[in-house]
Amino acid sequence: MKRSVLIFRSFGYAFVAFGLSACSDDQGLTEYADELHNRVQSTLKLPNNSIDAPKPQLQYPAKRALTRKIERTSMGLLESLRLNHCQLGQLIAENNSSLGKLKDGFSRYHADLTMIQALKECIEHPESANVKDKLKEALMHKESQLQNSLANAFARDEGLRKALSVGNNSLPKIHVTEYNYAVNALERFTRILERWNYTKEADDPDELIKMLGRLERSDYLPDLFRTMLDYSYKLERMTEYLPEVPESVYCQNGKVPDDALALKEAFNAIYLKEMQGDIAEVIEQHQRLLMTLENLAGIAPQPELKAYIAELGTLSKKLTDASVHFVRPWQKFYSACDFTPGLD
């Protein structure tokens, strides 16, 4: 109770500290906004305006928009047959196998990094003298295609696409364990990718692939993004429909109208008890993601993907702003009626 009162009284500061259908299939947490909106409309006899949130326009760019063409590096059959003295010969055979050709996303990017490492090592091998020039030529070509390989990993990997996409539904509830499962996986994946991108050397990919698998199995982050977008939209619409509580409802001459009491009860029971805490928590959860999102945007080669990830990073500020604007007319109303902004 104390937390709710404090957040409401100094709203503009407290939130900063926490610093194909028309609407979602499951509105989850944001249904509280609909409940409050309906109570206010009924009490004040306002037009029945809907605040159903449309499907967000913010979406992970399509694969075809992000995919880049890669020119295959080929040394020819003769050269590949003369490389059994170094690991490169084995890697070429593996990449040309049926399993090797199935690699995609970050598995393909890892294979390309490994190939570059093997080329460098084979160039220095004493038995590579007769093919050294060909190896150097292949290395230069392979390195020239590496950014395109990374771009295609960002474009095609289903685990990362899932984690950074906006979900179809709002969160049914705040769940710390599920959140930690997803955010820890995204943070660990990003640290590995940062290391690979910086050193241009790839170690064992098992952990990275494991983290991507976790992300693909979790709906939490996509639904968190959807919750923030839906809540922002609904709060903005509610503010638009009720920029000021009508003065006819204000308490005057020591009298408290029934409508004023009804509004207070609705706001206390729905906003202060349910919505305010949920909004603060999703903002707090999102803010933990900000550095990871910034790092991923720095690695992604495609400008349109950088812009998308940067937009994901603005969601907590947008929701904070929408919340502050929504509460202002209620603060004025509570002050006029000398209501205590807390739960009865």
Side-chain angles (χ1 to χ4, degrees):
M1 181 183 298
K2 183 178 181 180
R3 179 188 182 197
S4 297
V5 174
L6 289 175
I7 292 176
F8 180 77
R9 282 181 172 170
S10 55
F11 201 95
Y13 302 97
F15 262 102
V16 173
F18 279 108
L20 299 184
S21 58
C23 58
S24 63
D25 297 330
D26 184 353
Q27 298 185 59
L29 293 177
T30 68
E31 285 184 333
Y32 288 120
D34 298 85
E35 184 181 351
L36 178 59
H37 182 63
N38 292 336
R39 292 269 294 272
V40 170
Q41 286 186 125
S42 176
T43 299
L44 299 179
K45 299 178 177 58
L46 298 174
N48 188 24
N49 292 310
S50 172
I51 59 170
D52 286 347
K55 182 176 181 179
Q57 295 183 351
L58 183 64
Q59 295 293 333
Y60 200 106
K63 291 181 182 180
R64 63 179 178 276
L66 297 178
T67 300
R68 294 182 178 179
K69 182 179 179 181
I70 294 181
E71 298 177 9
R72 185 178 179 184
T73 304
S74 176
M75 293 183 57
L77 178 61
L78 180 61
E79 285 77 12
S80 65
L81 290 175
R82 296 167 58 187
L83 298 173
N84 291 333
H85 60 276
C86 57
Q87 186 187 13
L88 183 60
Q90 180 182 347
L91 283 177
I92 291 174
E94 290 177 357
N95 286 341
N96 288 334
S97 69
S98 56
L99 289 177
K101 291 177 180 178
L102 290 176
K103 290 182 178 180
D104 200 10
F106 288 97
S107 293
R108 169 52 56 192
Y109 178 63
H110 175 268
D112 289 340
L113 282 174
T114 304
M115 182 67 72
I116 287 174
Q117 288 175 250
L119 277 163
K120 291 178 178 178
E121 292 169 2
C122 201
I123 287 171
E124 301 303 321
H125 198 285
E127 296 182 36
S128 298
N130 294 333
V131 290
K132 182 173 288 190
D133 290 341
K134 286 286 188 180
L135 290 172
K136 288 182 177 180
E137 183 180 335
L139 175 60
M140 288 180 60
H141 186 270
K142 196 70 177 176
E143 288 178 329
S144 73
Q145 300 299 305
L146 191 58
Q147 277 294 92
N148 289 344
S149 176
L150 179 60
N152 290 349
F154 272 96
R156 296 171 179 167
D157 195 279
E158 295 299 337
L160 186 63
R161 288 188 68 90
K162 171 78 173 289
L164 299 185
S165 291
V166 175
N168 292 323
N169 306 311
S170 288
L171 290 168
K173 62 179 181 178
I174 305 294
H175 200 294
V176 175
T177 301
E178 291 182 14
Y179 168 78
N180 285 332
Y181 177 87
V183 76
N184 287 340
L186 185 62
E187 289 172 348
R188 288 167 67 182
F189 160 79
T190 303
R191 285 196 296 269
I192 295 170
L193 185 60
E194 281 184 298
R195 185 172 68 248
W196 289 3
N197 187 60
Y198 178 74
T199 65
K200 297 298 184 289
E201 295 180 358
D203 47 26
D204 190 333
D206 285 354
E207 184 179 10
L208 179 137
I209 294 171
K210 181 180 179 181
M211 294 305 104
L212 288 171
R214 288 186 181 182
L215 293 172
E216 192 169 1
R217 291 189 295 272
S218 174
D219 292 325
Y220 197 90
L221 294 182
D223 290 353
L224 174 68
F225 299 143
R226 182 61 183 263
T227 302
M228 301 182 79
L229 286 165
D230 283 1
Y231 249 140
S232 294
Y233 179 89
K234 291 183 178 186
L235 290 171
E236 288 167 359
R237 295 290 76 75
M238 291 166 73
T239 303
E240 176 185 328
Y241 296 138
L242 191 68
E244 294 290 341
V245 178
E247 289 195 12
S248 59
V249 184
Y250 281 22
C251 308
Q252 299 177 0
N253 301 320
K255 297 181 179 180
V256 181
D258 290 342
D259 285 353
L261 285 175
L263 289 181
K264 175 194 174 187
E265 290 170 2
F267 192 84
N268 280 2
I270 302 173
Y271 185 81
L272 292 181
K273 183 178 179 181
E274 305 292 350
M275 291 174 61
Q276 181 175 246
D278 288 343
I279 290 172
E281 286 193 55
V282 298
I283 288 174
E284 189 173 15
Q285 287 189 346
H286 179 267
Q287 288 180 338
R288 177 180 164 185
L289 289 167
L290 294 182
M291 182 172 292
T292 298
L293 292 175
E294 183 178 343
N295 291 340
L296 284 171
I299 299 171
Q302 304 97 319
E304 56 268 56
L305 185 53
K306 289 179 181 292
Y308 168 77
I309 298 174
E311 186 71 14
L312 283 183
T314 67
L315 296 185
S316 53
K317 183 180 185 305
K318 289 182 177 179
L319 181 51
T320 298
D321 290 346
S323 302
V324 170
H325 294 152
F326 168 74
V327 162
R328 281 174 180 163
W330 289 95
Q331 288 176 316
K332 183 178 178 181
F333 167 63
Y334 267 60
S335 178
C337 283
D338 199 25
F339 289 150
T340 300
L343 304 181
D344 295 329

